[in-house]
Amino acid sequence: MKYLGLGYFDKKKMDALPKEKVEAIMQKCQVHLEEFYKSGQVVADVGVAQEAKSLQRVDGKLQVGENQLTQLEKMIGSAFIIEAQNIEEAIEIASLHPTVQVTEGEQLAWDIEIRAVDSFYMKN
């Protein structure tokens, strides 16, 4: 079964850090990402930008606007898909992700949400 992991961070806390500090923290993520990938169960792993647009159909027409979710305190910083037998194994694999391994992440309110994937398509 596939599971979606969403990594969140506190935007205000991250934005308050100097760029050099953020870069240093991100460098610490690399060793943990390598362990995460070594599990052999990572299908995809994506770091996402803060800028986002929202798409919505209103009165039969597509509207594109600023994403309301970017106004929230917590933002998505990463997304990944893993293969696991059950939610317990998915949690075990996700626990290797830098979001919950890098010490500084605790002060920056990093956390991961895990959800079972009901449908999945990937272009070859």
Side-chain angles (χ1 to χ4, degrees):
M1 179 162 213
K2 289 183 177 47
Y3 290 85
L4 172 66
L6 297 172
Y8 295 90
F9 67 94
D10 184 305
K11 181 175 172 27
K12 288 180 186 174
K13 291 179 180 181
M14 287 289 286
D15 287 350
L17 294 177
K19 182 180 177 182
E20 298 78 24
K21 177 74 173 167
V22 172
E23 288 172 359
I25 293 169
M26 293 299 125
Q27 283 290 41
K28 290 181 180 183
C29 293
Q30 291 309 308
V31 67
H32 300 291
L33 281 174
E34 290 170 18
E35 290 300 313
F36 182 57
Y37 300 152
K38 277 186 199 175
S39 73
Q41 293 171 275
V42 179
V43 175
D45 183 32
V46 182
V48 297
Q50 290 185 29
E51 183 182 337
K53 297 288 183 186
S54 63
L55 304 171
Q56 183 179 18
R57 181 163 295 288
V58 177
D59 296 326
K61 295 181 183 175
L62 179 66
Q63 287 189 348
V64 179
E66 297 304 314
N67 187 347
Q68 298 294 330
L69 297 177
T70 61
Q71 308 306 316
L72 300 177
E73 190 171 305
K74 286 260 186 155
M75 291 188 61
I76 297 173
S78 65
F80 56 86
I81 296 176
I82 54 178
E83 283 278 353
Q85 295 297 316
N86 52 45
I87 189 70
E88 289 80 17
E89 184 181 28
I91 290 168
E92 183 179 323
I93 297 160
S95 73
L96 299 172
H97 195 273
T99 300
V100 291
Q101 289 293 322
V102 174
T103 306
E104 290 85 350
E106 189 173 346
Q107 290 110 17
L108 300 170
W110 290 3
D111 61 69
I112 295 176
E113 175 181 354
I114 300 290
R115 296 178 182 219
V117 174
D118 290 330
S119 61
F120 181 81
Y121 167 80
M122 190 163 106
K123 181 179 174 182
N124 291 332

